């Protein structure tokens, strides 16, 4: 079991640039979640999908953030344009109806 | 989902049992108690969950009081690798395993030699 795979592990970019974070879920998991972690706000759920369909995006901070899941093996979280306050660790987690969520190791994003 | 209250930090001697408390006085009948931990710079790791009976697995034991208003996570023989932030989360089964997990600030457990 390869676990949840996130890429890149680290990303440093300048303000205004587009940022794309990627997640490969565990095979067979039909739920996928995107979280953000900062010192100030802790771990926050941004959006989650079931069977590739977005179910709840109420945690997405603003229109600059978008997430897609084109198929069961891949999801992206995009920030355009990026701002320094978007700097955080972004986690992807996946699960099924019978199993607790499994988290990836995260992407550490720094916006200069 | 019900809120939880945990002490911000705890220490434990290596080899001793670590007992981490959690208060969830507003828990509803259909809500489970979940425990996750986060070791520095890693993603959260699932530990254990329960509804009203005590539970045990290879990592830990979960003791839930009869009124379900509080619980204790027990690491029977803590090691230095158990140093982490421990999160207690209360949520309905459907939303926890397949939906929202609302993380609080957790308890930072420091295991000391």
């Amino acid at each position: 079991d390869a676990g949840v795979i996130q890429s890149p592990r680290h990303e440093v970019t300048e303000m205004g640039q587009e940022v794309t974070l990627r997640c490969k879920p565990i095979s067979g998991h039909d739920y996928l979640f995107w979280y953000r972690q900062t010192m100030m706000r802790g771990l926050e759920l941004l959006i989650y999908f079931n069977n590739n369909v977005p179910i709840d995006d109420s945690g997405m901070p603003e229109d600059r953030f978008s997430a897609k899941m084109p198929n069961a093996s891949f999801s992206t979280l995009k920030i355009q344009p990026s701002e320094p306050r978007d700097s955080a660790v972004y986690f992807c987690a996946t699960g099924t109806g019978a199993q607790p969520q499994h988290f990836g190791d995260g992407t550490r994003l720094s916006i200069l | 989902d019900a809120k939880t209250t945990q002490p911000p930090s705890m220490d434990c001697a290596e080899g001793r049992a670590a007992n981490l408390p959690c208060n969830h006085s507003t828990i509803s009948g259909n809500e489970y108690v979940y425990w996750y931990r986060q070791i520095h710079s890693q993603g959260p790791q699932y530990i254990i969950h329960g509804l009203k009976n005590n539970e045990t697995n290879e990592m830990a034991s979960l003791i839930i009081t009869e009124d379900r208003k509080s619980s204790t996570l027990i690491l029977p023989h803590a090691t230095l690798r158990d140093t982490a932030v421990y999160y207690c989360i209360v949520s309905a089964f459907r939303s926890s395993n397949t939906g929202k997990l609302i993380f609080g600030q957790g308890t930072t457990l420091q295991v000391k030699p």
Side-chain angles (χ1 to χ4, degrees), chain A residues 72-94:
Chain A
S73 302
F74 184 64
S75 177
T76 59
L77 178 67
K78 188 171 294 186
I79 308 172
Q80 167 63 19
S82 58
E83 297 182 3
R85 60 191 168 128
D86 302 330
S87 298
V89 182
Y90 290 81
F91 290 103
C92 175
T94 70

Side-chain angles (χ1 to χ4, degrees), chain B residues 68-81:
Chain B
R68 302 208 322 122
K69 294 185 177 182
S70 65
S71 60
T72 301
L73 178 74
I74 300 173
L75 307 178
H77 305 286
T79 71
L80 299 179
R81 289 176 297 177

Side-chain angles (χ1 to χ4, degrees), chain B residues 20-95:
Chain B
L20 292 89
C22 180
N23 287 323
H24 32 78
S25 59
T26 60
I27 191 170
S28 300
N30 65 339
E31 291 181 316
Y32 284 67
V33 180
Y34 291 80
W35 284 84
Y36 281 74
R37 73 179 182 183
Q38 187 173 24
I39 296 170
H40 181 61
S41 77
Q42 297 181 17
Q45 176 190 25
Y46 166 78
I47 302 173
I48 198 167
H49 74 283
L51 182 62
K52 52 184 176 181
N53 297 322
N54 297 338
E55 301 289 342
T56 295
N57 62 20
E58 66 278 5
M59 291 182 66
S61 295
L62 174 61
I63 308 298
I64 303 174
T65 57
E66 191 169 345
D67 63 7
R68 302 208 322 122
K69 294 185 177 182
S70 65
S71 60
T72 301
L73 178 74
I74 300 173
L75 307 178
H77 305 286
T79 71
L80 299 179
R81 289 176 297 177
D82 292 321
T83 293
V85 179
Y86 287 77
Y87 297 98
C88 170
I89 302 165
V90 171
S91 190
F93 177 80
R94 285 177 60 83
S95 68

